[in-house]
Every structure is written in structure tokens, then in C-alpha cells.
Amino acid sequence: MCGIVGYLGSGVAQEPLIDGLRRLEYRGYDSAGVAFHDGDVFTLARETGRVENLANVLQGKGSQSSLGIAHTRWATHGAVTVSNTHPHLSYDKKFALVHNGVIENFSSLKKSLLHKGIEFSSETDSEVLCNLIAYHYSTLSPNSDSFIQAVSTALSESRGAYGIAVLCLDNPEMMIGARRGSPLVVGIGEDANFIASDASAFVGRAKEAVFLKDGELAILQGSEFRITNQQGHVSEAVAQPLDQTLEEVELGDFSSYMEKEIFEQPHALQNTLRGRFGDDGTTAKLGGLEGHEDELRNVDRIVFVACGTARHACMVAEYLIEKLARVPVEVEHASEFRYRNSPKSGRSLVIAVSQSGETLDTLEAVREAKTKGLLTLGITNVVGSSLARETDGGVYQRVGPEIGVASTKAFSSQVCLCAMLGLALGRMRDLSPTDGSNLVEALLGMPDLIAEVLQKGEEIRELAVKYSKAEHLLFLGRQSLYPVALEGALKLKEISYAHAEGYPAAELKHGPIALINPECPSIFLVEGTKLSAKTIANMQEVKARKGPVIAFVPEDIEIPEGAADDIFRLPVAHEVIRPILANIPLQLFAYHFARLRGLDVDKPRNLAKSVTVE
Ligand code: M6R
């Protein structure tokens, strides 16, 4: 959602700030702004629309300051206007603030500030926080301690979620960051330190990062920094090396991050798999689960919690883990789980899956599970994310930053890790060494099979050209391909805005068949199992009603003449690998379909990469 970047160093802040905002564009936003500490005043530039608009305004002018904060806003309180765009200046023009999150009690705080005669120039909750800080500061003597105290007091009066960066005119060498529920990270560079909502904002400029915990403040002063709690007690600043590379966060030869991330999958999945199998080659060894072996052996139910694409990965996991480990699995929308009081035994394991590790509903579901005393594990791509920190154990996806709003490589690696977890749990129970080693072999061979599918990308582009006028599409599959159908439909609708729905193929006759007509293509995912014949029968029912059929089918399954208009052949693979393989052409189909409509696949309307509010 919104993005924050702040710079305090010996150079000019403008370029790293604008560059940082460009790197945060993927999070989704509708306006952007920057404030520079320019001695007696803050120089403010704010624009609706793209970061590029802001960069153009600043070109040739701007500021030579070496202290500044910048923001991309995704509107929550108030329309997309310049006055609602961050940074906000306080009523006395002494403070500049950028904020991610939502201040839930902003209207009562605003009322009390209005009573004190303080005026507002935006509709945002963030300006309320800025004015509250300024008000508290006005009651103290003007110095750096008062700056810290004013921020702490204002935060202690605020309810809700925030990640903030604040500047004070009286303190030209100081920037304060704070977080509760919204990620914030300090970047440590040679000539500058940074505060950002996401480390990608300063990759290439900082060598190490310190991820703030909820309730912590980062106080950057000159070339030093310290981390404290709101009471001012200094906490240990654990600096982690920044292992992201510029190549990972830049587009290179690709025209979009989505395309780059789809084509990165063979390599990305190799990273997910690397070094994670036991020496005897029959099981998976996931370091983040060490120390929990006894609990895992005794688990009698697994509950997955996640949102969006990550939830679809969990739905695939339900089929895989139940088959491999014979443990009952449930998948819940994190947003439902957190408010539902379903009975869970002490032997239930809750697994939260989130690419960003910052999705608020998923984090709240974990917190609810912990309140109930349940063991929690996390599967996430982002090192140091809230999910990684708050769960009892977990596994990193290791696929490199996913920048395209539409999740692609993250889905594949999440399913892959769930299969590995199923393998590990299965081997602790009754999965045979032979079945274990067959699966290990299949998993290790998967990156090559993904590459094989990607090589046929042109065939998918042609399919997208043929069907690009369709406004309604159905995606159908059975068993572990049913969640893949859901994911294919989600991918298409989120980036092309066509209406698409996923169903279990057998559900067709229970309603969706009413939609079938020559303008509504049905995309069938055919398993390589005994059930294939049933799915093919469903395809024929659609053809009988003049509905176009596109079939994605393993090479060894025969499709009767006339049962499909178009057939895309998938490599023959172990059944655990099939859902990952079947999803790859659907990612490409959505990608081409949206591009043919002239849409920006990386910045779909209304969507944010990481949903850190409820
Ligand atoms: O970061 P997370 O995996 O927790 O994100 C969950 C969803 O918001 C995300 O998968 C969303 O559905 C994507 N736009 C899907 O492409």
C-alpha cells in the first residue's frame, strides 16, 4: 500500500528519495510527495498520479538538502488530492510527517485539536498525527529530546496502525521513525542512513538493515542511529546484511515486473529447494522447523490462514498435505479466522502464508492463534517481516523480491514449500522411503519442467490474442487443480479487469453452466489421473452448448476430437508438481490478455501489493 522513504546523510537527498519512491511504486499508490528540510522551512512537493509526475516537477529545481522524507499514498481517508497527499506539514509548519496505516481514533483526536484552535488542511488521519506531535512539542522547550518526547506522547495517544517518518524544523540533523502494525526498516549506508517501509527503497545504497518491531522508534541523528521503545529505553539494533541485489529490484530486459517474475520461476524455485533435503534423499529438511519435531509429529490438525493468492496456495496444500501426511487440513481466509471462534485443540498447528509477511489480516490471524496457545508457523518471502518474527517457526520462500502486484513466483514457491512440508510430515508418519524419494526427485526436477512450459510462451500469447475480447471466462479444475482454477481466474481479473470465476469442474452443472455461450470461454485444467475422463466429459458439456473450450492437459492424456477448441500440452509430472506446472500458463495467459488490452500489469487499478490495513 503506501510507501515511505526517508534520507539523512552527507549527500543530496532528492535523488535517493525519488529513486526510493520509484522502487516502492509496486506497492500500489495514487499520489506521491516529498519534503526537504531546508533550514528555515520545509520545501514540499506533492503530486497526484505517478512518481514520474513528482520527479518532473522537481527536475532542475528541488532542493539541495541532505534530509528529507517521501511517500507514495494509497488513499484511505480522503480523496486522491494534492492536499491529502503526504508529507503533511503541521499547523505551525514545524513538522513534516509521512504515515502508512490508519489512526483509528483520528476523529476524536482531531476534535480535541480543533478545540485548541488548531487548523487542518487535509481530510487525512495522518495530518492529525502530525498536528498532535506539533502540539505536544509546543508545550516543551525546543530541542531534540522534546522532539522525541512529542512523537512518543502523540503515538501513545493514537490507536491503530502506523509506520511513520517525521522531521522537525528545529532539528536539522534528525529524523524519527516509528512503527506499530505497519513495517518500517532502517537502512545503514556509508554516507547516509535511511528509513523506509520496505528495504527495496534503499537497495544499492545501504548495506545493512534493522527491522523495527512494533512499539519501537528509530532515532536517526547525524550519522548515528538508535532504536528505543516508546518509553525511551534503548533496544538492541540487530543489523542484518541486505542480500537483495539491484538486479533483483530492477527490470532489466523485461517490460514489466510481472513478466520478469514469471520467467524467473525456474531459478527462483531452485532457490526455494536448495539444500532442503535430508542426506538419504527421502525427506525434506526445513531449518526453520527445527526444534518443533515432536510437536509436528503429534499434530492432529493443520489450519492454514492466508489471503488472496497465498490462500490459493494453501488450498493446493490442503490436497497435497492430506495425501502425503494424512493430517486433516483446513484453509481459512485470514480475515475470517481472526474473528471466528472455531474450536481448536492444543495439537492444532496454524500455518500462515504470506509473500510480504505484512498482510494485516494474516498477522492478526496468527496473533489470535497464539492467544489460543496454538503452535504457529509462517511461510513468507520477506526476511525480517512481521510474520517471520511473530510465528514460532517457519520457512522462507527465497524467491527474491516480488514486485509485480500480481503474485506469480510467490505462489509457485509457496506450493512448493507446502509440498515439502507435506513430505516432511509424511515421512514422520507413514509415507514410505520410496514414495519420499520419488517426491524428492520430482521436486528437484520441477524447475526444468517450469522452464519447458515457459518455452512455449508464444503459444499462450496466441491463445490470449484469440480470446482477448472475452469479458467473462470460467476456469475449471478438479482436486488440487481446483485452487489453480481459482488462482487463474484471480490473476486474470486483477490485471485485465475481465470477469473470471473459478469452480471445481463438477460444479458446472450446479449453476455456472447457465453462463455458457459462444462469448464465454471455459478454461479447463485436466489432471493426469483417473478423474481426467470426468473433466473431459465436462468439457464436452460446454462444447454441446457452443461454449469455447481451452484445455490445459498433460501430454499423456488424450482429448477426443472436438472436445476442445484449443489444447495446451503440459509436461507429464508427479501429481504433487502438477498444480505448479498447470498454473504457469495461466499466469502467462493473464499477462498477455492484459497487455493486449493496453493495461499496465504491474499497477492494476485499485490494488496494492501488500494490504497492511483491514
Ligand atoms: O503478501 P501476501 O501474500 O500476504 O498477500 C496476499 C494477497 O494480498 C495477495 O496474494 C493478492 O491477492 C495478490 N494481488 C494476488 O496476485
Side-chain angles (χ1 to χ4, degrees):
M1 312 207 84
C2 311
I4 289 174
V5 53
Y7 173 99
L8 168 56
S10 55
V12 176
Q14 187 164 307
E15 196 196 319
L17 287 179
I18 296 299
D19 213 24
L21 288 187
R22 288 196 182 105
R23 305 255 192 87
L24 297 178
E25 282 191 284
Y26 76 95
R27 295 170 67 100
Y29 71 102
D30 36 50
S31 49
V34 61
F36 300 103
H37 191 302
D38 267 323
D40 305 342
V41 286
F42 284 114
T43 305
L44 192 64
R46 300 184 296 179
E47 293 291 318
T48 56
R50 295 285 183 230
V51 170
E52 237 24 65
N53 301 349
L54 180 69
N56 290 339
V57 166
L58 291 171
Q59 207 159 30
K61 28 187 190 147
S63 162
Q64 292 303 306
S65 170
S66 50
L67 174 59
I69 51 176
H71 192 260
T72 46
R73 173 178 189 249
W74 192 84
T76 54
H77 292 68
V80 182
T81 60
V82 169
S83 58
N84 287 333
T85 302
H86 301 215
H88 292 287
L89 297 191
S90 57
Y91 63 95
D92 56 2
K93 308 279 181 277
K94 278 203 164 185
F95 288 84
L97 171 140
V98 289
H99 165 226
N100 288 356
V102 174
I103 303 298
E104 285 165 8
N105 59 336
F106 85 102
S107 64
S108 61
L109 292 171
K110 186 168 182 173
K111 218 187 226 164
S112 94
L113 290 168
L114 284 166
H115 274 130
K116 294 181 171 78
I118 290 171
E119 290 183 357
F120 288 80
S121 51
S122 81
E123 302 156 89
T124 66
D125 53 337
S126 313
E127 188 193 11
V128 175
L129 188 53
C130 188
N131 278 341
L132 191 60
I133 293 171
Y135 168 72
H136 285 302
Y137 185 80
S138 71
T139 64
L140 305 163
S141 27
N143 58 39
S144 59
D145 287 345
S146 303
F147 178 17
I148 300 168
Q149 195 181 324
V151 171
S152 299
T153 311
L155 292 178
S156 68
E157 290 170 0
S158 308
R159 274 204 326 269
Y162 55 77
I164 57 167
V166 205
L167 303 179
C168 171
L169 220 46
D170 295 338
N171 294 278
E173 294 227 334
M174 194 166 167
M175 169 162 49
I176 299 182
R179 76 158 274 177
R180 185 165 71 207
S182 201
L184 210 67
V185 53
V186 175
I188 309 162
E190 267 171 22
D191 310 316
N193 292 329
F194 299 81
I195 284 180
S197 49
D198 178 331
S200 56
F202 47 67
V203 167
R205 292 193 155 95
K207 293 200 156 43
E208 291 185 305
V210 177
F211 294 89
L212 262 65
K213 299 194 194 82
D214 274 349
E216 284 185 336
L217 267 65
I219 299 161
L220 276 58
Q221 225 165 350
S223 57
E224 307 287 315
F225 76 93
R226 62 187 187 277
I227 308 291
T228 72
N229 65 14
Q230 270 180 27
Q231 290 68 47
H233 300 301
V234 176
S235 343
E236 194 192 353
V238 186
Q240 306 194 12
L242 257 185
D243 52 9
Q244 285 182 26
T245 60
L246 271 181
E247 199 188 21
E248 281 178 329
V249 295
E250 284 176 355
L251 265 182
D253 293 337
F254 291 95
S255 60
S256 66
Y257 283 104
M258 184 182 181
E259 185 192 21
K260 177 176 184 254
E261 287 156 10
I262 291 173
F263 281 92
E264 260 169 17
Q265 288 179 102
H267 177 66
L269 270 283
Q270 264 163 6
N271 286 340
T272 303
L273 292 160
R274 183 166 298 122
R276 284 176 157 171
F277 295 99
D279 294 338
D280 69 352
T282 71
T283 190
K285 241 174 68 186
L286 299 164
L289 308 186
E290 269 167 23
H292 296 292
E293 291 81 356
D294 287 343
E295 288 153 293
L296 292 176
R297 192 167 283 113
N298 291 316
V299 152
D300 62 4
R301 178 157 62 151
I302 298 176
V303 183
F304 277 95
V305 289
C307 303
T309 289
R311 193 179 71 91
H312 294 153
C314 299
M315 290 175 72
V316 178
E318 180 176 4
Y319 288 92
L320 304 186
I321 294 178
E322 287 194 344
K323 185 172 177 67
L324 294 166
R326 311 296 304 143
V327 185
V329 176
E330 290 165 29
V331 181
E332 291 217 34
H333 290 277
S335 55
E336 290 298 312
F337 178 92
R338 62 180 284 198
Y339 292 115
R340 201 159 80 94
N341 194 15
S342 64
K344 303 272 183 288
S345 80
R347 285 163 60 205
S348 299
L349 162 66
V350 173
I351 305 182
V353 181
S354 168
Q355 187 285 131
S356 61
E358 300 295 349
T359 299
L360 184 71
D361 281 324
T362 307
L363 292 173
E364 289 298 341
V366 168
R367 289 166 192 153
E368 174 60 17
K370 290 181 85 165
T371 306
K372 300 260 165 70
L374 303 177
L375 177 68
T376 58
L377 298 181
I379 294 181
T380 182
N381 194 30
V382 179
V383 176
S385 59
S386 302
L387 185 64
R389 285 204 310 266
E390 293 190 27
T391 41
D392 299 308
V395 195
Y396 283 122
Q397 297 175 226
R398 298 192 198 146
V399 290
E402 189 181 68
I403 292 175
V405 167
S407 186
T408 53
K409 61 179 179 177
F411 173 88
S412 303
S413 72
Q414 286 161 352
V415 175
C416 175
L417 284 176
C418 289
M420 291 163 80
L421 183 66
L423 169 62
L425 290 173
R427 292 288 292 126
M428 288 176 184
R429 291 174 164 74
D430 60 1
L431 191 74
S432 73
T434 310
D435 288 343
S437 80
N438 286 342
L439 180 49
V440 170
E441 206 179 301
L443 286 165
L444 290 170
M446 176 177 56
D448 287 345
L449 294 183
I450 296 178
E452 215 177 286
V453 177
L454 289 171
Q455 270 162 20
K456 300 206 294 180
E458 182 51 26
E459 261 184 63
I460 299 292
R461 201 190 65 79
E462 283 164 16
L463 282 177
V465 171
K466 180 166 172 188
Y467 293 101
S468 66
K469 298 282 175 293
E471 283 306 333
H472 302 277
L473 296 96
L474 291 179
F475 287 71
L476 302 135
R478 282 167 194 264
Q479 302 287 294
S480 63
L481 297 188
Y482 156 52
V484 176
L486 292 178
E487 174 57 13
L490 175 67
K491 208 79 326 168
L492 191 76
K493 75 184 129 193
E494 66 181 339
I495 58 167
S496 78
Y497 320 141
H499 169 233
E501 287 192 68
Y503 280 100
E507 277 291 301
L508 196 59
K509 288 200 275 296
H510 298 283
I513 201 162
L515 295 173
I516 300 299
N517 67 29
E519 273 74 55
C520 176
S522 295
I523 294 182
F524 277 91
L525 307 175
V526 182
E527 322 72 25
T529 66
K530 283 190 285 210
L531 284 177
S532 302
K534 295 183 190 293
T535 307
I536 293 167
N538 296 136
M539 285 161 48
Q540 284 163 321
E541 286 155 13
V542 170
K543 282 304 303 165
R545 285 156 186 85
K546 301 200 170 12
V549 167
I550 314 168
F552 291 84
V553 194
E555 270 151 14
D556 58 347
I557 300 288
E558 252 183 64
I559 299 293
E561 187 69 33
D565 297 272
D566 295 281
I567 299 175
F568 181 89
R569 290 290 179 179
L570 289 156
V572 177
H574 190 292
E575 61 184 308
V576 167
I577 313 299
R578 282 182 216 141
I580 298 177
L581 290 186
N583 189 50
I584 307 286
L586 302 191
Q587 297 172 343
L588 277 173
F589 183 76
Y591 166 78
H592 288 300
F593 197 93
R595 289 294 302 264
L596 287 161
R597 291 175 173 218
L599 297 168
D600 181 344
V601 294
D602 283 342
K603 299 184 194 80
R605 73 181 176 209
N606 306 336
L607 287 179
K609 179 65 181 163
S610 177
V611 182
T612 51
V613 293
E614 213 178 334

